[in-house]
């Protein structure tokens, strides 16, 4: 759901509007959608369409990130979701690595949510999937998450944790009847994952009829994300909701059986912009466009469809990119990239570090897998060459 990037989004992505072969397999529900600045401005009409045509009950909007970033669409999203008669919640993309940082980020998120109009009683979840938490022990993450959630309740909001399935009860504890967990099966129909938790985010690229782009969608197992308000409207066409949910659970992309993946733990730096895709095929949906200079770590490679493809592990799945045509396999990249690192000091910023090293802020952030809105902390190491 991040939203440092074109939100986490992996192989096994779901396509809406495709024919579903059998109505006997239970489809995962599109109970909740989460949106951020990556989705752009969302109108009330778009939310009404989600509600009436797809059965969406709740929307969770990005409020803030780190200690300084306020999502510019938070206020309009909150107002338009409420006008559409759906439950509204928020989330904060976390970068905290200590208890003090967790409390500071919770205070920032709470104040930002109040200013954006998030109503008291809504959920304000902490989205914990960043590099900062990946470097910490489970006990430390638990300690920090507890501090964030305790502080956020002082603003009148209910707390929860969003993270990936690979991190749940590994990088942090997600107790039963709590938590919002992401995990994307290749074909979600017939699957019921993380049923012991509040919600399961089962796709990172679902499509809605009148809205542009892909969206994160979740199935709710409890009423935690719908308990703060009363819904004033219901879907107008239950049959359409059923049909659309069936279609959303069908994935027509099939794993290749004609070629075999081989292990390849390498680091590449892109010479040119390359599309990161949901599968190793030029017909697979693009997750995002990685600009020139981006550093990519891979774990497997394959030659198929006229290209040499590599697989990039992501926080809860994989992305795929071509390194070049099969006849010139490294046309787009250089391998074995060597980096010079800089350790962030108190008072540093993206601008000051970029200026000092002859880079643009965007280039500096991209080659570290971040955006210029990502909060950086003293002691953090950034690749500057």
């Amino acid at each position: 759901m991040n939203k440092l990037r074109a939100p986490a989004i992996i192989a096994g992505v779901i396509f809406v509007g495709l024919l579903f072969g059998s109505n006997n397999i239970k489809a995962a529900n599109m109970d909740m959608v989460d949106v951020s600045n990556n989705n752009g401005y969302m109108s009330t009409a778009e939310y009404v369409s989600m509600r009436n045509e797809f059965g969406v009950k709740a929307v969770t909007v990005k409020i803030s990130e780190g200690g300084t970033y306020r999502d510019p669409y938070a206020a309009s999203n909150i107002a338009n979701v409420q006008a559409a008669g759906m439950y509204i919640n928020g989330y904060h993309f976390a970068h905290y690595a200590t208890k003090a940082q967790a409390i500071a980020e919770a205070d920032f998120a709470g104040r930002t949510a109040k200013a954006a109009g998030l109503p008291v009683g809504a959920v304000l979840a902490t989205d914990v999937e960043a590099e900062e938490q990946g470097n910490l022990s489970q006990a430390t993450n638990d300690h920090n998450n507890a501090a964030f959630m305790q502080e956020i309740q002082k603003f009148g909001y209910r707390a929860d944790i969003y993270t990936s399935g690979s991190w749940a009860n590994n990088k942090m504890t997600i107790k039963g009847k709590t938590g919002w967990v992401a995990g994307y099966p290749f074909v979600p129909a017939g699957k019921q994952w993380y049923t012991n938790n509040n919600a399961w985010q089962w796709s990172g690229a679902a499509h809605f009829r009148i809205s542009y782009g892909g969206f994160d969608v979740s199935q709710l197992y409890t009423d935690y994300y719908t308990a703060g308000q009363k819904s004033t409207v219901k879907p107008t066409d239950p049959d359409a909701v059923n049909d659309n949910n069936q279609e959303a659970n069908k994935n027509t992309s099939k794993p290749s059986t004609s070629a075999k993946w081989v292990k390849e733990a390498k680091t590449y730096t892109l010479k040119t912009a390359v599309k990161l895709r949901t599968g190793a095929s030029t017909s697979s949906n693009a997750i995002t466009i990685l600009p020139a200079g981006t550093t990519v770590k891979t774990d497997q490679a394959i030659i198929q469809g006229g290209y040499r493809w590599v697989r990039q592990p992501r926080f809860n799945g994989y992305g795929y990119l071509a390194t070049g045509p099969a006849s010139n396999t490294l046309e787009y990249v250089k391998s074995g990239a060597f980096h010079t690192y800089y350790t962030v000091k108190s008072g540093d910023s993206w601008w000051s570090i970029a200026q000092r090293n002859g880079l643009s802020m965007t280039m500096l952030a991209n080659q570290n897998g971040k955006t210029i809105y990502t909060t950086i902390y003293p002691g953090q190491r950034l690749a500057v060459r």
Side-chain angles (χ1 to χ4, degrees), residues 148-211:
F148 180 98
M149 293 192 291
Q150 182 177 355
E151 190 72 13
I152 209 68
Q153 293 175 50
K154 295 180 181 179
F155 293 87
Y157 298 123
R158 293 177 295 126
D160 203 11
I161 303 172
Y162 168 93
T163 195
S164 69
S166 62
W167 280 27
N169 299 313
N170 178 16
K171 284 292 183 180
M172 67 201 69
T173 303
I174 305 295
K175 296 180 181 179
K177 303 306 178 186
T178 72
W180 175 15
V181 184
Y184 304 166
F186 187 75
V187 177
K191 310 291 193 310
Q192 295 288 305
W193 290 6
Y194 309 112
T195 57
N196 199 38
N197 301 110
N198 286 324
W200 165 38
Q201 186 185 94
W202 53 270
S203 173
H207 293 271
F208 295 95
R209 187 176 63 83
I210 67 171
S211 297

Side-chain angles (χ1 to χ4, degrees), residues 38-250:
N38 290 311
N39 301 107
Y41 176 78
M42 297 287 296
S43 67
T44 298
E46 289 178 276
Y47 289 123
V48 169
S49 172
M50 290 179 178
R51 179 200 73 204
N52 285 351
E53 298 178 45
F54 298 86
V56 176
K57 301 174 183 177
V59 179
T60 300
V61 306
K62 183 175 182 178
I63 299 295
S64 52
E65 180 176 325
T68 59
Y69 179 77
R70 298 175 175 86
D71 192 294
Y73 295 102
S76 62
N77 276 326
I78 290 168
N80 293 343
V81 169
Q82 290 179 304
M86 291 190 289
Y87 304 109
I88 183 69
N89 303 290
Y91 75 89
H92 168 81
F93 191 88
H95 286 285
Y96 50 75
T98 68
K99 179 180 178 181
Q101 291 170 352
I103 292 172
E105 288 193 24
D107 286 336
F108 173 67
R111 293 193 304 271
T112 304
K114 289 284 188 182
L118 188 69
V120 169
V123 175
L124 208 173
T126 178
D127 177 354
V128 188
E129 55 175 305
E131 178 183 359
E132 290 86 350
Q133 295 91 34
N135 294 327
L136 301 176
S137 68
Q138 182 172 342
T140 300
N141 278 326
D142 287 347
H143 187 63
N144 295 343
N145 290 341
F148 180 98
M149 293 192 291
Q150 182 177 355
E151 190 72 13
I152 209 68
Q153 293 175 50
K154 295 180 181 179
F155 293 87
Y157 298 123
R158 293 177 295 126
D160 203 11
I161 303 172
Y162 168 93
T163 195
S164 69
S166 62
W167 280 27
N169 299 313
N170 178 16
K171 284 292 183 180
M172 67 201 69
T173 303
I174 305 295
K175 296 180 181 179
K177 303 306 178 186
T178 72
W180 175 15
V181 184
Y184 304 166
F186 187 75
V187 177
K191 310 291 193 310
Q192 295 288 305
W193 290 6
Y194 309 112
T195 57
N196 199 38
N197 301 110
N198 286 324
W200 165 38
Q201 186 185 94
W202 53 270
S203 173
H207 293 271
F208 295 95
R209 187 176 63 83
I210 67 171
S211 297
Y212 174 78
F215 293 82
D216 298 335
V217 293
S218 300
Q219 175 162 305
L220 301 178
Y221 295 116
T222 71
D223 66 356
Y224 194 69
Y225 282 85
T226 58
Q229 308 160 68
K230 288 187 176 180
S231 178
T232 57
V233 291
K234 301 294 182 184
T236 55
D237 189 347
D239 289 335
V241 169
N242 182 65
D243 291 343
N244 286 324
N245 279 342
Q246 295 278 7
E247 292 165 357
N249 280 258
K250 175 70 172 180

